[in-house]
Each structure stands twice: as C-alpha cells, then as structure tokens.
C-alpha cells in the first residue's frame, strides 16, 4: 500500500499486499536465475571469459592481481572459487609481466588445453564459474524491487524487477564471468545504501554505504565516479532541506547532534524531511552547523570505508606505494613523450612533489586504470551504422541504446518522463527531487564518463551499470493505478509485455539482441558489431549443428574467439576462400572464380570486419546459422544450384 504520494507504508510488515509482492518478487528472481543459468550452460565462453577465469584462478593460487588488471578482481575470483575446489590442472608457463603486457588470454588457452580430457572438462569449469555469478544478478534484481518499492510502492517494485529480470542485456552479461552485470548489481546496491543513509544518517548506515561502494569498486573501476557524485548529492540533499525560514532535519540527524524533535515525524516516510526547528535564531544556526558537521563526518566514513574495502579486496597489494615509483603506459600518466616503443612506459610525476605522495589504492587497481586509459588513447577502429573509422563517437552509446534496448522499455521511459513532468505540476508521480536525483545522477555520471572515452566505441555493455537506476526510475509509471489514470496504466502494461516478449523471442541468444527498430538480430550487424552481437558465444551451437548434419565437412571456419575449434570437437580443413574478382587485389590465378566449393562457417563480426576477404559471402544468403552470430554457407561447384 502507498501513502502520502510517495513512500511505502512500513507500519505493518506482514500485510497481505506486502506478502504478495514479496512472493511475486521471489518468483521473478527464481525465473531470472533459471534463464541466466540456461544461457550459461548453452553458450560458449566469450572472448573475454577466456581471460577472466584463468585470471581468477591465478589470484587464488598466488594471491596476486596483476593478471587482467584492467578490471578489478571481485567477479572473476568469486566465479573461480568452485573451479579451484574442483582441482583443475593449472599451468603458468605462458605468464608474463610488464607495464603493457596482458598474459590472460595465453593463460586461458593454456588452461583449456591442459583440461581438454576428451569429455571437455574445461567447458564444465566455465559453466560452473558462470553459475557462481547468478547470485550477483539476483542481488541487482532484489535492489531494483526494494528501492522502487520504497520510492513508488510495491507494484513499482515489481515493474522494476521485471525489467531487470527479462532485460536481454542483463540476461546476456549476467551469464558470463565478465564484470559488467556484477558491476550493475553492486553499483545499484551501494547507491541504495547511500540513499538510505542520506534519509536517516547513522554511523552504521555510513559504514554500510562505504562497504557497498568498496564492493562496487572491486567489480569495475567505472564506479570511481561515485567519489565525486556522492559528495555532490550530500550537498544537494541537505541544501534542499531549507524551506522558507526553517531548516529541515531528519530525526536521525537531530539525534546525532544531541537534539530530539519536538514532534513525531510522519510514519509514512520517517526519512523524509520534517520541519523541526527554526533557522532564524542562534540555536537554529547552531543546529544547522552541527547537522552539517555530523553528516559530513559520516560522509568521510563512507568514502574512507570504501577505500579500505577496496584495499582489503586486493589484500593491500602495493597499497600506499609512492606515485613516483609507478611505471605507466598511458600518455595521461606517463607523459606525452614517456612511452617509447616496446611499452617500457614512464611517469610524468617522477621528480615532482606529487611523486612522493603515497597512493591510497592497490597498485594493480591504479595500473589497471592506466592500462585501460592507454587502450582508449590508441584510437582503435570502431564500427557504427555500417561505417568503420579510427576512433569513436561521443553519441555511440545513445545510438546503441536506441537499437539494443527493447522498444517497450523505451515507451515506458517516455511515459516516465511525462509522469515526472506531471509530478512537477503537483501530481503524485514523484518521490521527491532529492531521492530521484540520488537515483539518476550516478547513472548519468557513468553514461557521460563512458561516452567521453572516444578513443574507440565498441561495447554497449560498458553502460550496463546505468540500467538498474533507469529501471527503478521508470517504475513510477505504476502510480497511474493509484491516480486512476487507466489509459496510462494500460499503455504501461502493454509496453511491459512488449519489452518482455521481445526479449524472450530470441532467448537464449540474448547477447545478439537487437530490437525491432534495428530489424532484430538478423540485421543488427548493419549497425553494431563486436560484443554487441558476436563475442564468440555460438561456437557450441555450431558444434551441435554439425552433429545434427553429419554429412557436412567444414572447409573453413573463422570466428571471433580465442579457443581453438578443436577443443569443441570441430574439425576444419581450414582452406580460406579464394579472392574474388570484386576484391581489390585479386590473385591472377583465382580472379573471378569466387570461393571454392564446400561448407564455410564465418562469424558475423569476421564477415564484416575482414576488409574484402569475405565480400563474396556478404552478398550471399547463409544456408543456416548457429545462433545469430555464425553464418553457415554452402558453396556449390555450379553457382546456379545455390
């Protein structure tokens, strides 16, 4: 039940409505876990996962975090735990270290080769590691339900949870060992704890929020933006406490500074500001100052606690190392002229006073940021809307969202904007501007940060941490039921069904999802490539297709991944296609003859990323597909028979 336009009534925790909401939420989370688990079982390890799992195993074996340092270690070490307990064969001969060296993929291939014992035990290790990541996604869904419910009511909680549970992007990345879905879950959990602390500042709440931020940082360095966002939100929250000639304090703040409220706060929302004292007098000004100092001290605990948890997660490896003793590879940290050929690196702070300053974060956390920054400075080739170019686009993620987010979700988002405007006009669709800014500003900061890195634009998953915040905010449309705006409620219901149905129509191939505006996953390659459609996830489906068609013998396979096809039991003659007459540099012997007869399997990224090599195939209709990312062609000796 809702009360007073915006909060969840907490008086009776065992009401029938609350029990029904909790039961439905548990059911949705169970369905979500099953959906994610099935994708994890059926799809092949993606390109990055080949590096993530051995990096996690390496950390358990040696207690170090220099392998795959561009990402913090929480998700991969958590995922690797059951693999460690299973006793796999581990080899480290491919290990190497250096400022710009990344040995994780060589270690991954070595791990797979060592554990390919006929029954492909290596593949089972990846499956159980993926299943370990399911609880992280469940946490994200739970926070969506809880936070939306407290802001807008139980029905809103179920709407936000449904959007999370059936989002194709969440399903896809929650089923991998990659950090993106885990970062989305831990980021929104940390923000929820911080919001609760803002409403009712206590020392225990500050410790919880700090721990949450530390765990979020251990999933992805992107969340470093919260060190700037959260102090801004703190200022906005308490500055927004002024109203007329009075000062608004929560009960907890007055308790911290030694004053009790003269009146009992409204039980509908204890954390909402209540007019409790007059700021025009000396006592009022003293209360203001003491309230700011009290909450400011707790904010310091939040931020320092996050740094402590971050260091704890790395085992304090290299913590407080002087800045001048690092070797960096990015121009930002090494200096414009300090990165010679060979990747030896440099340090622009050596010899300055900053060089003597101890850095209060783990060594490999900072080195990972430096290495990631170096990647963006390289201006790699990027693809958007059918065009390749060197470097990226600031609007890349906006376009990707337009194509990769279900259109039903976009309709709900547009409705939420309209509902927000109604709330500004006095209608009860809002939860207060302070709460909504606390919800939206972290998502906006992440989106702007990622979009600003235009060295290359490839991976829509980089903005996945924004999703839960947006879903919670969208859920306000459910307030239309309370206001008896039945046409809004009906449209919201239809949009939700559209969103869920669109996602399930291509399940379990959720990684390749494109909405109807893009023409679905069959046409998504016209707009986006790389991990947005093809990340090596369908090689297992190719193996199953070959098993179902035993007369087929592949003469050529080209796919996006690090795992040799032989480890899937796929035998390939590996005769590349001849150069065709329409290519730029046809050989004199083969000009005009096109590809040799036989069966070819080419992943969609390779098909459109290999220059002119596959131009002859780009104009052909595939005979079959493995998932949505591998196209299978049968080239016959007589072109008229095709």
């Amino acid at each position: 039940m809702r009360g007073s336009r915006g909060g969840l009534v907490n008086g009776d925790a065992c009401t029938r409505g609350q029990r029904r909401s909790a039961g439905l939420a548990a059911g949705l989370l169970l369905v979500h876990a099953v959906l994610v688990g099935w994708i994890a079982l059926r799809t092949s390890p993606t390109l990055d996962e080949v590096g993530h799992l051995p990096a996690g195993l390496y950390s358990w074996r040696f207690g170090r975090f220099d392998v795959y340092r561009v990402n913090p270690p929480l998700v991969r070490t958590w995922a690797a735990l059951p693999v460690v307990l299973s006793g796999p064969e581990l080899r480290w001969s491919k290990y190497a270290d250096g400022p710009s060296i990344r040995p994780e993929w060589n270690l991954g291939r070595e791990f797979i080769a060592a554990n390919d014992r006929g029954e492909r035990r290596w593949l089972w290790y990846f499956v159980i590691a993926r299943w370990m990541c399911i609880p992280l996604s469940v946490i994200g869904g739970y926070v969506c339900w809880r936070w939306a419910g407290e802001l807008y009511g139980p029905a809103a909680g179920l709407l936000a949870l449904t959007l999370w549970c059936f989002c194709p992007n969440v399903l896809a990345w929650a089923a991998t060992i990659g950090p993106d879905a885990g970062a989305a879950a831990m980021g929104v959990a940390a923000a929820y704890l911080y919001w609760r602390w803002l409403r009712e500042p206590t020392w225990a709440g500050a410790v919880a929020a700090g721990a949450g931020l530390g765990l979020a940082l251990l999933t992805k360095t992107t969340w470093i933006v919260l060190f700037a966002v959260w102090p801004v939100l703190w200022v906005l929250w308490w500055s927004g406490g002024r109203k007329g000639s009075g000062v608004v304090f929560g009960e907890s703040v007055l308790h911290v500074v030694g004053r009790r409220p003269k009146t009992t706060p409204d039980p509908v929302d204890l954390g909402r500001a209540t007019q409790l004292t007059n700021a025009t007098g000396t006592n009022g000004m003293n209360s203001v100052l003491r309230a700011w100092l009290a909450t400011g001290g707790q904010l310091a605990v939040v931020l320092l606690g996050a740094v402590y948890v971050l260091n704890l997660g790395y085992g304090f490896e290299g913590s407080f190392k002087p800045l001048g003793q690092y070797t960096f590879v990015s121009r930002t940290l090494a200096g414009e002229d300090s990165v010679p050929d060979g990747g030896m690196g440099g340090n622009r702070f050596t010899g300055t006073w900053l060089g003597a300053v101890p850095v209060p974060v783990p060594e490999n956390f900072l080195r990972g940021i430096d290495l990631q920054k170096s990647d963006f400075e390289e201006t790699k080739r990027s693809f958007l809307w059918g065009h390749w170019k060197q470097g990226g686009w600031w609007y890349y993620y906006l376009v990707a969202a337009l194509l990769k987010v279900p259109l039903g979700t976009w309709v709900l988002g547009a409705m939420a904007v309209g509902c927000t405007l109604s709330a500004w006009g006095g209608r009860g669709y809002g939860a207060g501007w302070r709460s909504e800014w606390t919800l939206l500003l972290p998502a906006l900061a992440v989106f702007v940060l990622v979009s600003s890195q235009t060295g290359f634009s490839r991976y829509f998953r980089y903005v996945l941490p924004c999703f839960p915040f947006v879903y919670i905010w969208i859920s306000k449309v459910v307030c239309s039921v309370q206001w008896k705006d039945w046409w809004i409620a009906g449209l919201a219901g239809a949009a939700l069904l559209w969103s869920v149905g669109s996602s399930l129509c291509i399940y379990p191939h959720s990684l390749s999802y494109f909405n109807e505006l893009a023409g679905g996953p069959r046409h998504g390659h016209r707009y986006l490539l790389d991990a947005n459609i093809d990340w090596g996830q369908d090689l297992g489906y190719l193996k199953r297709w070959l098993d179902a068609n035993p007369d087929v013998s592949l003469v050529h396979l080209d796919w996006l991944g690090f795992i040799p096809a032989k480890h899937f039991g796929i035998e390939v003659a590996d005769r590349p296609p001849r150069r065709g007459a329409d290519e730029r540099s046809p050989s004199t012997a083969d000009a005009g003859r096109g590809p040799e007869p036989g069966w070819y399997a080419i992943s969609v990224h390779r098909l459109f990323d290999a220059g002119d090599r596959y131009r002859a195939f780009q104009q052909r209709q595939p005979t079959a597909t493995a998932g949505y990312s591998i196209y299978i062609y049968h080239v016959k000796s007589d072109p008229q028979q095709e």
Side-chain angles (χ1 to χ4, degrees):
M1 302 250 333
R2 282 177 50 85
S4 188
R5 304 287 191 267
L8 185 65
V9 176
N10 296 318
D12 184 2
C14 296
T15 64
R16 182 179 302 176
Q18 290 172 329
R19 289 198 302 269
R20 184 183 299 114
S21 176
L24 291 172
L28 284 169
L29 289 172
L30 178 60
V31 170
H32 177 70
V34 171
L35 292 174
V36 173
W38 183 248
I39 296 176
L41 179 65
R42 297 291 288 178
T43 58
S44 310
T46 60
L47 188 147
D48 283 350
E49 288 180 281
V50 176
H52 279 301
L53 182 55
L57 296 170
Y58 172 87
S59 295
W60 282 111
R61 174 65 178 82
F62 298 104
R64 301 203 302 266
F65 302 95
D66 52 305
V67 176
Y68 221 131
R69 61 168 61 97
V70 295
N71 288 134
L74 178 60
V75 175
R76 61 176 178 263
T77 52
W78 169 253
L81 179 58
V83 182
V84 172
L85 298 177
S86 298
E89 186 171 344
L90 301 176
R91 300 174 185 172
W92 309 107
S93 65
K94 301 295 184 181
Y95 172 79
D97 193 17
S100 60
I101 293 176
R102 300 189 60 177
E104 49 264 21
W105 289 289
N106 286 333
L107 292 178
R109 284 189 286 261
E110 187 175 39
F111 170 77
I112 291 170
N115 292 277
D116 189 9
R117 305 171 184 173
E119 71 279 13
R120 302 190 191 107
R121 190 174 182 181
W122 67 269
L123 188 55
W124 176 246
Y125 288 146
F126 276 93
V127 171
I128 60 176
R130 286 174 158 189
W131 282 347
M132 278 293 285
C133 297
I134 295 176
L136 298 178
S137 189
V138 169
I139 290 172
Y142 171 79
V143 175
C144 286
W145 170 71
R146 185 68 180 266
W147 198 350
E150 293 185 24
L151 286 173
Y152 308 113
L158 293 174
L159 174 58
L161 177 57
T162 301
L163 289 172
W164 172 270
C165 287
F166 294 98
C167 171
N169 299 287
V170 173
L171 289 172
W173 297 110
T176 72
I177 310 171
D180 302 282
M186 300 311 297
V188 75
Y192 171 68
L193 292 171
Y194 185 70
W195 172 74
R196 290 181 63 90
W197 170 78
L198 284 173
R199 295 172 69 210
E200 298 185 60
T202 64
W203 293 105
V207 170
L213 176 54
L215 291 173
L217 287 169
L218 285 168
T219 61
K220 205 167 180 70
T221 55
T222 306
W223 286 123
I224 201 169
V225 299
L226 293 182
F227 281 94
V229 170
W230 281 8
V232 170
L233 288 173
W234 169 71
V235 172
L236 290 175
W237 188 277
W238 294 108
S239 297
R242 297 183 179 276
K243 184 177 180 182
S245 61
V247 175
V248 180
F249 292 119
E251 181 185 20
S252 301
V253 176
L254 291 181
H255 178 66
V256 169
V257 300
R259 293 189 59 186
R260 300 300 300 172
K262 299 178 181 179
T263 59
T264 302
D266 186 348
V268 167
D269 190 352
L270 184 61
R272 295 215 171 191
T274 323
Q275 195 82 15
L276 295 172
T277 189
N278 193 320
T280 57
T282 302
N283 291 336
M285 293 304 297
N286 289 337
S287 296
V288 170
L289 179 60
R290 288 195 291 172
W292 278 95
L293 291 175
T295 56
Q298 291 184 11
L299 177 62
V301 169
V302 171
L303 301 180
L304 292 174
V307 173
Y308 175 78
V309 172
L310 173 65
N311 282 279
L312 186 65
Y314 278 86
F316 289 88
E317 179 193 31
S319 300
F320 300 100
K321 180 178 178 178
L323 184 59
Q325 295 182 14
Y326 281 84
T327 300
F328 296 119
V329 295
S330 68
R331 289 190 299 272
T332 301
L333 298 177
E336 292 293 333
D337 302 320
S338 301
V339 188
D341 293 338
M344 297 302 295
N347 190 323
R348 67 164 63 244
F349 305 102
T350 300
T352 70
W353 68 270
L354 283 173
V357 175
V359 182
V361 298
E363 178 180 359
N364 279 304
F365 182 78
L366 182 56
R367 291 180 67 187
I369 293 174
D370 169 61
L371 189 54
Q372 185 76 80
K373 183 62 178 175
S374 175
D375 287 341
F376 281 106
E377 291 173 349
E378 288 180 11
T379 61
K380 299 178 181 178
R381 291 176 71 230
S382 304
F383 179 87
L384 178 65
W385 219 272
H387 296 92
W388 287 96
K389 83 164 190 175
Q390 204 70 19
W393 300 264
W394 67 267
Y395 53 84
Y396 177 88
Y397 297 97
L398 288 171
V399 175
L402 187 64
L403 301 173
K404 292 281 291 179
V405 173
L407 292 180
T409 304
W410 275 107
V411 171
L412 288 169
M415 295 175 64
V417 172
C419 291
T420 300
L421 296 176
S422 297
W424 288 346
R427 201 69 178 272
Y429 280 100
W433 69 268
R434 291 182 298 170
S435 287
E436 296 204 347
W437 270 113
T438 305
L439 181 65
L440 291 177
L441 195 56
L444 181 62
V446 169
F447 199 92
V448 170
L449 173 65
V450 173
S451 297
S452 69
Q453 304 302 305
T454 55
F456 64 86
S457 300
R458 293 184 177 181
Y459 310 125
F460 182 55
R461 58 186 170 87
Y462 282 176
V463 297
L464 193 65
C466 304
F467 278 46
F469 297 90
V470 176
Y471 289 161
I472 294 167
W473 182 74
I474 283 176
S475 70
K476 65 168 61 181
V477 300
V478 170
C479 297
S480 58
V481 175
Q482 176 187 344
W483 287 101
K484 295 183 171 56
D485 291 333
W486 300 119
W487 72 272
I488 296 179
L491 181 59
L496 180 62
L497 289 175
W498 185 8
S499 181
V500 172
S502 179
S503 174
L504 294 180
C505 276
I506 74 154
Y507 176 86
H509 305 289
S510 302
L511 191 149
S512 298
Y513 177 84
F514 281 83
N515 61 32
E516 294 80 2
L517 185 64
R522 296 290 184 194
H523 302 283
H525 63 269
R526 299 176 180 176
Y527 312 101
L528 300 169
L529 288 175
D530 268 296
N532 304 299
I533 187 170
D534 174 15
W535 209 228
Q537 75 275 12
D538 286 331
L539 197 62
Y541 281 94
L542 176 62
K543 170 60 175 171
R544 296 182 194 107
W545 186 88
L546 291 171
D547 290 343
N549 296 272
D551 296 334
V552 172
S553 178
L554 288 179
V555 300
H556 180 66
L557 169 64
D558 194 355
W559 71 296
L560 190 64
F562 288 130
I563 306 173
K566 65 181 182 180
H567 292 304
F568 281 90
I570 299 175
E571 299 295 332
V572 184
D574 202 22
R575 288 182 292 165
R578 295 192 186 102
R579 296 181 182 274
D582 58 346
E583 300 188 48
R584 295 177 183 175
S585 303
S587 66
T588 56
D590 295 332
R593 292 199 295 170
E596 294 180 352
W599 289 89
Y600 297 78
I602 309 169
S603 76
V604 66
H605 181 85
R606 295 296 194 198
L607 187 64
F608 293 95
D609 183 42
D612 292 325
R613 185 182 190 189
Y614 295 120
R615 179 168 296 184
F617 289 94
Q618 293 174 9
Q619 308 305 320
R620 293 171 179 260
Q621 288 295 321
T623 304
T625 61
Y628 289 97
S629 72
I630 298 180
Y631 290 4
I632 303 168
Y633 298 92
H634 186 200
V635 178
K636 298 181 180 180
S637 56
D638 184 358
Q640 294 183 353
Q641 296 178 0
E642 297 182 17

